[in-house]
Amino acid sequence: MKLLRFFIKHSLRDMWRNRARTVFALICVATGVTAVVALRSMAFMVGDELTTDLAEMNRGDIRLYASRGTPEIVTLSREGDPIFSAEGERAIREWAAEEGVTFSGARLNNISSVRAIENGTAGPPTLNLTLLIEPEHYPFYSEIILSEPAGVPLRDVFPPGSEAESVASVLLPRLGALSSVVMPRWNGAAGSTWATYPAYLIAHPRPVVISSNLTRQSSLGLSLGDYVRLGAPDTIYEVRGIAPATSESILTVPPTVFLDFLYAPLTDLPLLGDPVLPEQIFIQVPLGRDIAAAEASLIRYLERTFPSRTNFDLNLNRESVPDLEENNDEAASVLDDMILVMGLSSLLIGGIGIINTMQVIVSRRTLEIAVLKTLGLKGSRITGLFMVEALLMGLLGSALGVVIGVALSYTIKSVGEEAFQLTLVWRLYPEAMLSGMFLGVVITVLFGFLPTLIAGQVRPAVVLRPNEAQMPAAGLLQTLATLIVMIVVLGLLVDTIVEGAIAISPVYMITGGGALVGLFAGVIIANTGLGQPIPAYYRFRLPRRFERLQNAITGPVGILTGLLPVTAWRGMERHLRGQAAITLGLRGLRQLLLIYGSLAIGAALASLILLIGSEVWIPLGLGETKPAGHIVDAVEGGSARWVITWAALTLAIGLAIRLLSRALVGLVAMSTLGVTVGGLIGWLIGRAGALVLDGTGTWTFLAEISTGIVLVEAALAAMAAVFVGYWLLVWLVGRMSGGALMGLVSLVLVGLLAGAAQIVAGLGVGALLALGAVALIGGLVIGRTARSGEAARPLAEQSRAEEAGGIPAAPTLRLPGTSLLMMSMAGLVGGLLLVDVGGERLWWAGAGLALLVFAGLWRALRRRYKVDGRLVLREMASRRSRVASTLLGLSVGLAGLSLVSLTTGAATHLLETQMSGRIEGNLLVIARVPDQVETIEAALAGSEGVEAYSSYRIYSAALLAINGETVSPTFHSPEDEPGGMGGNGRATQGFPLMLAQRGSLADLPEYEMSAGRQLEPSDAGEHVIMLRESFITQELGIEVGDRLMLLFENGVSQADDVMLRLTVIGLVDSQSALTGYADQFLVPPDTLPGTVKPMNMMTVARVDESDDAYMDGALVALSNIPGVFAIELSALTQLLESLINQFKALPTLVAWLALISGTAIIANTVALATQERRRQIGVMKAVGLKGRRVLAMLMIENGLIGLIAGLIGIAVGLLLTVVLVLASPGPDQLMDALEMETMGWLLVMSIAVAIGAATLSAWSAAAEKPMNVLRYE
Amino acid sequence: MQNETNGRVVLRATNLTKDLYLGHVVVHAVRGVDLAIYENEMVGIVGPSGSGKSTLLGLIGGLDTPTEGRIEIDGVDITHMSEGRLAEVRNEKIGFVFQFFNLVPTLTALENVALPIQFARYPKFDPEQRARELLELLGLADRLNHRPMELSGGQQQRVAIARALANNPPLLLADEPTGNLDSEASEVVLQALNDVWRETGTTVVLVTHDLDLARKMGRVLRLVDGRILGEVEPV
Ligand SMILES: Nc1ncnc2c1ncn2[C@@H]1O[C@H](COP(=O)(O)OP(=O)(O)O)[C@@H](O)[C@H]1O
Ligand SMILES: [Mg+2]
């Protein structure tokens, strides 16, 4: 107890003394904990929303959906969607009466158009979701309270059922008669007045309640009392109420996520052209009655009423509160787990900061430890002392993190709302807070443990040579023990998250363990043995000429020359022969290992090059077919050229690396070897264990914990691999010359200046001119004043130098930095102006000028700051591990961010081009009934500004066989989705695809064919098909001439299926400009028999965009056709874009959190580095380095880290985006889809973050008086 | 040995005072020192440990600013100079040699010596050539590309001396340069300092607690409790 008090006091004092360091370490822990607490709180908020008020969410205790799986009680609506049939509805109603439960029906999938009426003129239509409900019941278990008139419940707006029905019944017959008369006049929108509309409709507008979002639609501008036209044949409605947009959500009516909604009574369906039949039925079971029992009773009732083969229990699509509870609980816990993993990753990044901090704490206090040891303190006690400090930091940091996390959870609520489309309620979640606290402390202690162990290892002898305070390496055993403890603890943690979702055999756990042990052994041996010269005892000098020979021939031949030449052996004294043999053996072994290592690196890099090469092969036009992505493929595919390329690359890279450095290759060699050998041994042990222990309690126990542990091992291995990669990179960068670094700096500077100039250029040429002028004049003035001061000096200096026998350096033009930057800016502005004025022709001149500016800047910087560059690089190289881990931390966040932003950016771009340029038109008309196509075409033909249109029938089909060979089903369609839009509930066979039958081939665009020919008008009615090449056709291996067997599932039963055999007549090149719509699988007109029902009818029209009135006119004309909806492509694009934004909200948040963690690590690393380097900085200042320049050096150093992390992060995002775009239908869009600007910003941000974080902690160190640092020690 | 009266004053300190703060305790490390050091002089400052020698040297060398008093180096008043200008003065006018060598560990001997030249605003020499010459002068011709870790203490200190001389400063300040060396290495370092003094004509101020060592200088000042108590007769 007393000891603990001493430990705590000691630790607190140490933390207080090194406040800056402590603060940054705490921030490292806190950012991770913040991420865990905030993200988890959000998950809990979502979970709360998912799991409370389920009956309200379900809009009843049992919710039935009409689906094709139960044909007895289902029919199809006019649009072809399943709805409950009259018999079905009646049966369920009867059951409800018998059972004593309440029944309510609704149509919640009716998409129609709404138009505001102003002075009798209807505006352009807007799509909306018309929710047709029974107002007296909807919704069960809650009440929708209108925002206008405030406080009024939804049901009060609508007249009671009987009245409504009577109005409808009176209205309907008249409407049918009138619509043909009225509509044409309505279409000529201009000049319409109320008088042109039948008096009866005006006198009896139907009530409607709109969602508050609809009031915000600018094209509508609705408010209470306004008249609107709804659907077709249209009816006049009056807005009687405005419901909050939050009345419905993704949980109650999913489509409300995309569409604004309005409420109308179910009984109005006839006005919209459909019978009063529900698509969903809500059942309210009286309180206290068992819902499941009611459900079972319903099934029994249905089975009794409709004796058939249909299994109602299986096929009746329904959601009851108990089911929902189970499902949502599961969804909530999956979400929580997912989010916990995300938060945990953030925390692990923070762990890097802890390792670094503890390491520095220990190394700074080696002397103190040694002194304590000489006084008799045991190693374990010292470990304890430092553990207490780590624990304290964990506690404090976590507490800080919890506080910030709770605050953050409140702010990111909106992100959760965006991502999940829910209205979330914020509150404190103790579980989130506790778990954050717990994880924070655990991770800190775990990560702090290894350096602490090292502290225990300090040898007392250090006291004797205090000046070379070197950090000892932790013993192999201790390190391993720590690692194993860490893996087990983290593994158990992961196990609780995975919870048996997957199970991995203990054999893998042991194999992984063996590999890790091997890795460590390898690294340690490399660090101690391979890196060092051969022990002196064994050192034996070969006769000179052999020595030279061996040195000359490094690489593979080196081993052979390592064999002692016979002549030398003969002439050797006896007692020397033994030594010589051992020396040579060791040399040979080392050579072998080094070659193994270099070839391992070579093979890895060669594989990477191969992989990237194969991905860009076709897009770059290097060949027709995609080469093998990896060597196994190449070997299996027997592509000799590719295998040879790989081998040659491996050899070339391997040898190059071998010649570059020995210690480095040794590390890789030994670690690879260690992993291989260790893994193999582990695997053998595992296998043996499985044989011996299978069935015993031990094995069961191992099996229970193995999954999490294997996952942790895999994660650690991945991290280690990345770390090694970074380590190598830092090593490589460290070998750069100081001048080259200055080149990099000038490049970045020119980039930044050019970017700034670009931004100013956006303001106009005048602003650019002004900027250029200011920069030029400023640069000249500053340069001149500086030089006039310089003129007086050198004379005196020079004479002194000559006096001293020194040779004066050649006089150089030395402009101060600000002047240099300003001149560069002026030059770049000049270049921009040149391009701006001269256009494309002067592009080269502008680029040349930029290059000139770059060269000038580089020259000046190199001349003056080469030393700084060298110091920076040496410093980085001497701290490879720390720099590598910092890079790791920073790049994770950036990779995430670039991944999200680049992929979504590319997706948006692809979407836009797909939607605009590539489709034949800008207006999409979708109908469900084939007969409507003519009406649609007539409406389009009659509309002004419609330039062209073409129609398709879209069919859903399954590809069963190619040339008689069965295609195995790849995807299974999910069960009928709530909302009833899904398939028919039968098991899917074959490969599902969408087929389009074009209405006419006369206007088919000219395609670039890769094989076969394009469809021609004469093909009409022939059983042929044209395909666009894609990954699908590649996967399936479809070629011209193949016969495809297609299955069309036509109705609800198998009897309705239609099979068709089509011959492939042509393959469209995947690169061919996409000008047609739906041309993935295209068949000529009249090919499919009339018995095959199309999914829908698609008409694509091109409308003149020069005047908005054209599009509005077309939309209005189309909105009058019942059951058809027309949508402007731009509106659809917007909708999809908002979907993309919603999709990326959460990943973006997580990436930002990771980036913040990375920033904390950088700040921490720099704080540590400056602390370690205080003395060195003091020395350099003593010999004349200015504080400003010290700061600049630290900034360059970390800017470089930021640059590398940024480049790598961006590369990750870029790679995925490239793959994504290449796999998309528009691979030729690659260059346009890559957002250069986003990449630029990411890079700038990465550099800025690194420099900012560095400045934060380096500022005071750079400004310190040298005496303060040099005084002590 | 030197001309006290006719020489140019390289360094003049007037009423130099430095108070240091240890928490709430004020330590008067240097208390009103008046000092004049002439061109081409070799001066020793001797005093017991804790008497304020290092503090005084730091003030003289512009590593720290005095609480009170005035310092002139080569005729330039550095008392109220900005930190940036001070750095230039240190670079051009002063060479430092410390007890613990204080070489930059990641740089080779040659690069360490070249450092001050490269830091200079207006380099007077070609860095590499000058560094090579100086290291040769100090007998380290075969250690040019070694890092400090690969050098012995005496060798490190000679590299430090070469570095101090890099910009041919008028004033070389050495704080216990032999304090961390065995007697043999001390002898070599001292000899090196002597050679340097003789050949370059740089003024040398050497601080030590060792009276015997101090006596080898041309003039010896005694510092006790932050005050100059007078001169000691050289041998
Ligand atoms: N950073 C500091 N803060 C407070 N007092 C200090 C500091 N450094 C040294 N001192 C005190 O200043 C006095 C002079 O120190 P110093 O100049 O190092 O002496 P010397 O070099 O002669 O041994 C000593 O009393 C010492 O305790
Ligand atoms: Mg001292």
Side-chain angles (χ1 to χ4, degrees), chain A residues 1271-1272, chain B residues 20-22 27 29 48-56 175:
Chain A
R1271 189 188 300 277
Y1272 271 126
Chain B
L20 291 165
Y21 297 89
L22 254 179
V27 180
S49 180
S51 57
K53 305 183 296 291
S54 297
T55 311
L56 178 62
D175 187 0

Side-chain angles (χ1 to χ4, degrees), chain A residues 793 804 874 1175 1181 1186, chain B residues 88 90 92 102 111 168:
Chain A
R793 291 177 65 115
R874 294 279 169 83
R1175 191 176 185 86
K1181 288 180 84 172
K1186 286 186 191 171
Chain B
E88 281 173 31
R90 290 195 294 264
E92 289 167 20
N102 280 337
E111 287 164 343
N168 192 28

Side-chain angles (χ1 to χ4, degrees), chain A residues 470 790 793 804 806-808 867 871 874 1175-1176 1179 1181 1183-1186 1189 1265 1267 1271 1273, chain B residues 54 63-65 84 87-88 90-92 100 102 106-107 111 115 118-119 122 124-125 129 149 168:
Chain A
Q470 265 183 10
E790 174 185 357
R793 291 177 65 115
I807 300 128
V867 220
L871 281 165
R874 294 279 169 83
R1175 191 176 185 86
Q1176 191 180 319
V1179 172
K1181 288 180 84 172
V1183 299
L1185 189 67
K1186 286 186 191 171
R1189 218 159 135 186
K1265 289 228 169 65
M1267 197 62 201
R1271 189 188 300 277
E1273 291 153 288
Chain B
S54 297
L63 293 179
D64 211 346
T65 39
E88 281 173 31
R90 290 195 294 264
N91 183 268
E92 289 167 20
F100 293 115
N102 280 337
T106 51
L107 298 181
E111 287 164 343
L115 211 53
Q118 285 162 321
F119 284 163
Y122 309 99
K124 293 181 287 195
F125 308 98
Q129 195 182 340
M149 291 278 278
N168 192 28

